[in-house]
């Protein structure tokens, strides 16, 4: 049972465009949603996160939109740069629980 | 930023042998984790560890797996005996703990069982 789902599996956008990565979850107990960025040969690194009490979180070019009722969220990367090319993992954990459940990832490619 | 170090970066081992993966977590962190990733796919939770004890483990954390962190030393994942399906990249992570604190990951140990 996959508790965190991501789409698309892979995404290619042109430099300067906005990339939109989607995520949905099943467990209503999840209330912390970090997004991780992973480059080949590296471990995942926290990019941006949101708590379920919020519906939007911005950090520079990165924005999370969160819809608790539909159990969906999305990561928007504005003004995409070739250096943003990486795999992005949506993840989730319940309140007070240290276990993070990852989605399968979206491989993002930015074409110059 | 804070670094989680994993040693070695790559290990090749014969099926049936024992292997120990070592992790040097961020110095003041209290929670420690192991995740398994196959061929750049989904990160699968294996186990988390706090105050000298396993807090939670997944179905992937087979009886052949064990973790420990003797005082002040590495946080280790031991697999004994290894099986072919254990081939994967194993990521160690650590965090301070508490609500929504950041979890820091190491670069992983690529384990190949032959």
């Amino acid at each position: 049972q996959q508790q965190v789902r991501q789409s698309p599996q892979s995404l290619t956008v042109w430099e300067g465009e906005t990339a939109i990565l989607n995520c949905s979850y099943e467990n209503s107990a999840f209330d912390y949603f970090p997004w991780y960025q992973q480059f080949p040969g590296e471990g995942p690194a926290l990019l941006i996160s949101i708590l379920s009490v919020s519906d939007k979180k911005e950090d520079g070019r990165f924005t999370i939109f969160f819809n608790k009722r539909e159990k969906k969220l999305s990561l928007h990367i504005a003004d995409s740069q070739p250096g943003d090319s990486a795999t992005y993992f949506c993840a989730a954990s319940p309140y007070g629980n240290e276990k993070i459940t990852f989605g399968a990832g979206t491989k993002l490619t930015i074409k110059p | 930023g804070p670094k989680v170090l994993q040693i070695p970066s790559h290990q090749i081992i014969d099926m049936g042998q024992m292997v120990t993966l070592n992790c040097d977590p961020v110095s003041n962190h209290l929670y420690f984790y192991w995740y398994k990733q196959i061929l750049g796919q989904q990160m699968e939770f294996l186990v988390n560890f706090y105050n000298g004890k396993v807090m939670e483990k997944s179905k992937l954390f087979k009886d052949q797996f064990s973790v420990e962190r003797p005082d002040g030393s590495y946080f280790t994942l031991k697999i004994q005996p290894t099986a072919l399906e254990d081939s994967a990249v194993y990521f160690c992570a650590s965090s301070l703990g508490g609500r929504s604190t950041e979890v820091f990951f190491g670069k992983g140990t690529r384990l190949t069982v032959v």
Side-chain angles (χ1 to χ4, degrees):
Chain A
Q1 180 193 8
Q2 196 170 357
Q3 293 200 53
V4 178
R5 290 191 174 86
Q6 290 187 248
S7 64
Q9 263 189 322
S10 62
L11 176 66
T12 300
V13 301
W14 294 102
E15 183 176 357
E17 291 184 336
T18 296
I20 300 176
L21 289 67
N22 299 303
C23 180
S24 64
Y25 64 98
E26 297 177 359
N27 189 344
S28 299
F30 288 153
D31 78 335
Y32 170 61
F33 301 88
W35 284 84
Y36 284 85
Q37 180 188 56
Q38 185 180 30
F39 295 105
E42 301 285 325
L46 180 66
L47 183 66
I48 185 173
S49 64
I50 193 167
L51 293 171
S52 61
V53 294
S54 302
D55 56 16
K56 184 180 176 182
K57 176 83 173 286
E58 279 184 88
D59 185 357
R61 297 186 294 111
F62 302 93
T63 303
I64 299 174
F65 292 93
F66 181 74
N67 185 323
K68 187 171 184 175
R69 184 179 59 84
E70 294 187 8
K71 295 196 180 82
K72 291 182 179 178
L73 59 158
S74 59
L75 173 67
H76 292 225
I77 305 175
D79 188 25
S80 297
Q81 304 295 311
D84 295 332
S85 296
T87 297
Y88 292 80
F89 291 98
C90 174
S93 72
Y95 176 86
N97 189 314
E98 305 303 326
K99 170 188 169 184
I100 294 178
T101 299
F102 282 80
T106 293
K107 185 174 181 180
L108 176 65
T109 303
I110 309 299
K111 285 192 171 180
Chain B
K3 300 275 187 196
V4 174
L5 301 176
Q6 290 190 243
I7 304 162
S9 58
H10 196 172
Q11 177 104 36
I12 300 173
I13 195 156
D14 290 328
M15 182 176 63
Q17 297 297 306
M18 182 194 76
V19 68
T20 300
L21 308 184
N22 297 297
C23 171
D24 188 8
V26 179
S27 60
N28 61 337
H29 282 185
L30 302 175
Y31 288 80
F32 313 108
Y33 316 79
W34 285 102
Y35 282 80
K36 178 180 180 181
Q37 187 180 44
I38 296 177
L39 289 176
Q41 295 176 14
Q42 191 159 355
M43 297 275 291
E44 302 276 8
F45 171 82
L46 285 177
V47 66
N48 59 3
F49 189 85
Y50 168 74
N51 199 25
K53 299 174 189 171
V54 170
M55 300 297 290
E56 187 175 356
K57 57 186 180 182
S58 73
K59 292 176 184 177
L60 295 177
F61 194 80
K62 304 179 295 184
D63 290 344
Q64 298 89 328
F65 288 28
S66 63
V67 292
E68 64 176 355
R69 192 188 187 212
D71 294 337
S73 64
Y74 289 143
F75 176 52
T76 62
L77 173 66
K78 184 183 294 185
I79 309 174
Q80 181 179 25
T82 50
L84 293 176
E85 61 264 27
D86 296 331
S87 295
V89 179
Y90 290 84
F91 288 96
C92 174
S94 70
S95 72
L96 270 173
R99 183 172 170 82
S100 69
T101 57
E102 183 172 354
V103 177
F104 292 86
F105 285 81
K107 291 189 175 186
T109 293
R110 180 177 296 278
L111 176 66
T112 302
V113 182
V114 296

